[in-house]
Amino acid sequence: MGDDLPLLTMVKAKDIDDLPDDLTDDLLNLRNTLSSLCSFYSVEDFVTFLFSKQFQSLINYEDPWMVFEVGMYLEHQKNMQLIPMKNKITLIDNVGCGWNDGVFESNNPEEILKELNAWCQMVFDPNSRFE
């Protein structure tokens, strides 16, 4: 979609609960890294990261405690919220494009891959950034 540029970005938008007491130094470092803009070249890369051992350890709590913003690299105003927790990732469309009535919840990598690809296809307009 974006030639040789990244497709998606993700950044920790806010904490919605207290920091878990049992976070290791490695997980605190990951949280700090995710407070800066991270980019992914494909939806597949992004989903692989979401289901990596380290990210899953960071979100392995019954209640969500942080929210991320996921956006198009070339069009940052086209974004969604990602609310991760143990056994569920919630995606909330901030664009209002009609995708899944605005919300999708799953803990299945294949389902998330399919739905994120669909969202990207709906919101990505390579010409809009030049208008």
Side-chain angles (χ1 to χ4, degrees):
M1 279 185 212
D3 303 318
D4 292 333
L5 296 173
L7 175 65
L8 295 172
T9 60
M10 183 171 92
V11 65
K12 184 179 80 65
K14 61 185 173 183
D15 291 326
I16 55 175
D17 202 351
D18 294 333
L19 209 67
D21 293 332
D22 61 344
L23 289 180
T24 65
D25 287 343
D26 284 345
L27 293 177
L28 286 170
N29 288 336
L30 176 59
R31 176 188 173 268
N32 292 340
T33 297
L34 293 170
S35 296
S36 299
L37 194 64
C38 302
S39 59
F40 301 87
Y41 284 88
S42 69
V43 175
E44 292 83 2
D45 288 344
F46 179 66
V47 172
T48 297
F49 172 74
L50 292 180
F51 287 91
S52 67
K53 181 179 178 182
Q54 188 126 9
F55 188 74
Q56 288 292 307
S57 294
L58 184 66
I59 64 167
N60 193 29
Y61 297 92
E62 295 298 327
D63 295 316
W65 61 277
M66 62 184 156
V67 175
F68 294 91
E69 181 180 282
V70 177
M72 301 298 293
Y73 180 82
L74 292 174
E75 299 178 84
H76 289 282
Q77 75 280 11
K78 295 183 178 176
N79 57 60
M80 63 173 49
Q81 293 177 48
L82 185 148
I83 305 169
M85 57 194 283
K86 184 177 186 174
N87 299 321
K88 181 171 66 173
I89 292 175
T90 302
L91 300 169
I92 303 171
D93 177 33
N94 292 335
V95 180
C97 66
W99 169 82
N100 276 321
D101 294 326
V103 177
F104 178 74
E105 294 180 342
S106 180
N107 198 39
N108 180 299
E110 292 81 21
E111 288 177 357
I112 293 173
L113 176 68
K114 178 183 172 222
E115 293 304 325
L116 278 174
N117 272 320
W119 181 82
C120 288
Q121 290 294 326
M122 291 178 86
V123 302
F124 184 73
D125 181 359
N127 297 317
S128 70
R129 62 186 183 274
F130 302 112
E131 292 178 13

